Amino acid sequence: MRLTRCQAALAAAIILNLLVLFYVSWLQHQPRNSRPRGTRRGSGAGPRVTILVREFEAFDNAVPELVDSFLQQDPAQPVVVAADTLPYPPLALPRLPNVRLALLQPALDRPAAASRPETYVATEFVALVPDGARAEAPGQLERMVEALLAGGARLVAAPVATGNPARCLALNVSLREWTARYDGAPAAPRCDALDGDAVVLLRARDLFNLSAPLARPLGTSLFLQTALRGWPVRLLEPPFAAARQPPLSTAHARWKAEREARARRAALLRTLGIRLVSWEGGRLEWFGCSKETTRCFGTVVGDTPAYLYEDRWTPPCCLRALRETAHYVVGVLEAAGVRYWLEGGSLLGAARHGDIIPWDYDVDLGIYLEDVGNCEQLRGAEAGSVVDERGFVWEKAVEGDFFRVQYSESNHLHVDLWPFYPRNGVMTKDTWLDHRQDVEFPEHFLQPLVPLPFAGFVAQAPNNYRRFLELKFGPGVIENPEYPNPALRSLAGGS
């Protein structure tokens, strides 16, 4: 059978289309790193940036308008809307192959890759776009890409012209101290973090190499992680436009969104190990333990708290509770006429810097045994546990013949009170623990006692406390800090 010209032309067209489809499919299955990079859109390459929408509220949002605004500029623009679970009410997203909904919470009926956001991104760059933004100025994403490629920052951002546009902040994250400190803007346009609404662009590999790339609130989690790594963000102009129909337009919706954002933020900071946030102007936010909760660490084994194995020091909320407990106990002892003095590591911290040692987990005070009867709380503790009017718990320690004052019934951060008595001019006691500093000492160190700043107040301390400390710990102990049990964990060399 002979083919007509029309049949031959049709067959050729079909074969050509099949070849084109095969080539496109082959390109899509190539690893991201093997694809051509640095090609400008004008040269015929596909989009270099994926729009990733993560920060929105399912109950009230302008995500469809956001997505549509970018598709109007480029119908092939890749867009990923990421949510933990299926949004309800459902999002009215266009049914296009380049617009995808990524559900990040694992499910029994989906493969593991379906819960990984990087599965949905095949471009070199990602733009994190907040709800309430829209694309109006052509080429804005490409200009952000060029600014990123110019160097000087690992992230670039453009504010969104909402009522809360982004501004620069300085941010210092100390994992060792469990603390994030925000301050006024550094030399703009380079920042450590942003506060407010912004579109943030970075390389996809940088985003997905973060330990929590899409944790919410996204701005908080992103900049904590990037600031810790020393990645600056450059703030650009002009801004992105605001949505024509802004989300959260009612007072109730804003109240609900703010409530959920606060809960997410508190959960995020606890998960990332941030217990204290210090804002510009000195405002403090605490995300750790309190009188109503347990303390931040469990039973201490070998004088080495679990956090030292994580290269961290005592959480700031625990130090705050110890300071409060110590100040309160000292006030009770002084009012009752009980002679006391800073002991052990607490005296060492006072001698070094007037405070609790940053990795210490309790406070130690020595008291005269003969003065115990002067204090109502100590008399009560002889018979059993006593909870006073401030919620502090006074009791005899189970480890031996000494007293313990706990921060609360729930939170067992504590001050230990060690009863000493004189014998032939030497201070001794009835309970000895296997601590290097747990030794007898001459009573003349207590005659007289001297005031010494400690933990925000003035406490009593042995006179000539340097000799007292060197008697207990060894020469040079003030100038040479060390963890309590260096055989398990050393300040200088870790384990």
Side-chain angles (χ1 to χ4, degrees):
M1 182 181 70
R2 297 182 62 183
L3 294 176
T4 66
R5 288 185 179 180
C6 288
Q7 289 173 326
L10 179 62
I14 291 172
I15 293 171
L16 180 61
N17 283 332
L18 288 174
L19 289 172
V20 169
L21 287 173
F22 174 77
Y23 178 69
V24 170
S25 176
W26 177 81
L27 277 179
Q28 290 177 340
H29 286 82
Q30 295 308 297
R32 186 189 308 149
N33 292 339
S34 70
R35 298 178 189 176
R37 296 193 176 187
T39 308
R40 297 183 181 275
R41 292 296 307 278
S43 66
R48 294 197 287 176
V49 181
T50 295
I51 302 300
L52 203 160
V53 184
R54 172 61 167 147
E55 200 59 60
F56 67 94
E57 300 296 343
F59 59 84
D60 188 339
N61 62 75
V63 171
E65 179 187 344
L66 182 162
V67 172
D68 183 63
S69 71
F70 282 95
L71 293 178
Q72 285 183 15
Q73 292 196 355
D74 184 353
Q77 173 66 60
V79 178
V80 176
V81 179
D84 294 320
T85 57
L86 188 66
Y88 183 84
L91 295 173
L93 299 176
R95 295 180 178 273
L96 296 172
N98 52 306
V99 178
R100 306 186 69 181
L101 177 63
L103 303 182
L104 305 181
Q105 185 171 294
L108 292 174
D109 59 344
R110 292 188 287 122
S115 302
R116 300 180 189 134
E118 59 268 31
T119 301
Y120 303 88
V121 176
T123 56
E124 183 178 358
F125 304 98
V126 174
L128 304 171
V129 183
D131 189 21
R134 63 176 284 110
E136 282 189 351
Q140 197 160 4
L141 288 177
E142 280 300 309
R143 287 192 292 273
M144 294 178 74
V145 168
E146 296 308 320
L148 185 67
L149 293 175
R154 294 287 284 268
L155 306 89
V156 295
V160 180
T162 62
N164 185 31
R167 63 189 182 96
C168 270
L169 291 176
L171 172 58
N172 178 268
V173 180
S174 173
L175 292 182
R176 173 170 276 185
E177 297 176 352
W178 309 72
T179 300
R181 294 182 176 87
Y182 292 88
D183 211 335
R190 284 166 54 99
C191 328
D192 299 318
L194 299 176
D195 180 34
D197 298 325
V199 174
V200 180
L201 184 138
L202 69 165
R203 286 179 170 83
R205 67 168 182 266
D206 284 346
L207 175 64
F208 296 125
N209 276 330
L210 299 176
S211 59
L214 296 183
R216 296 182 69 188
L218 185 57
T220 302
S221 68
L222 177 68
F223 294 119
L224 283 173
Q225 295 174 87
T226 57
L228 182 65
R229 289 160 173 79
W231 296 358
V233 54
R234 182 181 174 196
L235 191 58
L236 307 174
E237 292 290 346
F240 278 80
R244 290 171 181 160
Q245 295 183 334
L248 310 175
S249 56
T250 69
H252 177 74
R254 289 191 295 273
W255 168 81
K256 186 175 179 181
E258 289 167 2
R259 182 191 62 180
E260 296 192 6
R262 283 194 300 270
R264 285 190 203 104
R265 187 164 172 270
L268 170 75
L269 292 171
R270 291 188 181 103
T271 299
L272 296 181
I274 301 297
R275 296 290 182 265
L276 174 61
V277 175
S278 173
W279 290 99
E280 53 182 327
R283 182 172 65 90
L284 301 179
E285 282 189 284
W286 297 88
F287 298 94
C289 63
S290 67
K291 267 189 177 290
E292 290 72 39
T293 71
T294 59
R295 67 185 184 183
C296 295
F297 56 95
T299 301
V300 176
V301 178
D303 296 328
T304 306
Y307 51 78
L308 289 185
Y309 291 100
E310 301 173 7
D311 291 323
R312 292 187 169 208
W313 289 347
T314 309
C317 48
C318 297
L319 291 173
R320 179 178 65 161
L322 286 173
R323 293 184 187 106
E324 182 182 340
T325 307
H327 194 184
Y328 176 72
V329 170
V330 162
V332 171
L333 297 179
E334 290 180 345
V338 176
R339 290 167 290 174
Y340 75 91
W341 60 94
L342 294 170
E343 261 289 349
S346 300
L347 178 61
L348 190 53
R352 281 188 187 142
H353 52 261
D355 203 352
I356 299 168
I357 294 174
W359 50 83
D360 210 350
Y361 51 89
D362 63 8
V363 171
D364 292 306
L365 300 177
I367 60 174
Y368 270 89
L369 177 61
E370 63 188 88
D371 294 345
V372 167
N374 298 342
C375 178
E376 177 186 352
Q377 289 88 338
L378 292 178
R379 290 197 309 270
E382 294 271 18
S385 181
V386 175
V387 182
D388 68 18
E389 68 278 3
R390 293 275 301 275
F392 294 92
V393 182
W394 300 69
E395 61 188 10
K396 287 292 286 289
V398 297
E399 298 94 329
D401 192 19
F402 62 99
F403 297 93
R404 176 164 289 161
V405 185
Q406 296 181 161
Y407 188 44
S408 71
E409 292 182 277
S410 300
N411 192 323
H412 294 175
L413 290 161
H414 58 266
V415 173
D416 285 335
L417 304 175
W418 301 92
F420 284 82
Y421 56 89
R423 185 173 59 193
N424 299 323
V426 174
M427 298 300 292
T428 189
K429 56 189 176 78
D430 293 330
T431 294
W432 300 97
L433 302 181
D434 188 21
H435 293 161
R436 175 184 177 187
Q437 70 273 19
D438 205 15
V439 296
E440 297 177 332
F441 59 90
E443 189 179 12
H444 66 71
F445 282 111
L446 308 180
Q447 298 174 341
L449 294 166
V450 298
L452 192 64
F454 176 70
F457 62 98
V458 177
Q460 296 297 305
N463 63 74
N464 203 348
Y465 53 80
R466 174 179 288 276
R467 279 190 58 197
F468 183 87
L469 286 168
E470 292 188 343
L471 169 69
K472 294 206 163 199
F473 291 97
V477 65
I478 296 176
E479 293 79 16
N480 298 286
E482 182 53 276
Y483 288 158
N485 190 345
L488 294 178
R489 197 72 178 169
S490 169
L491 178 61
S495 58

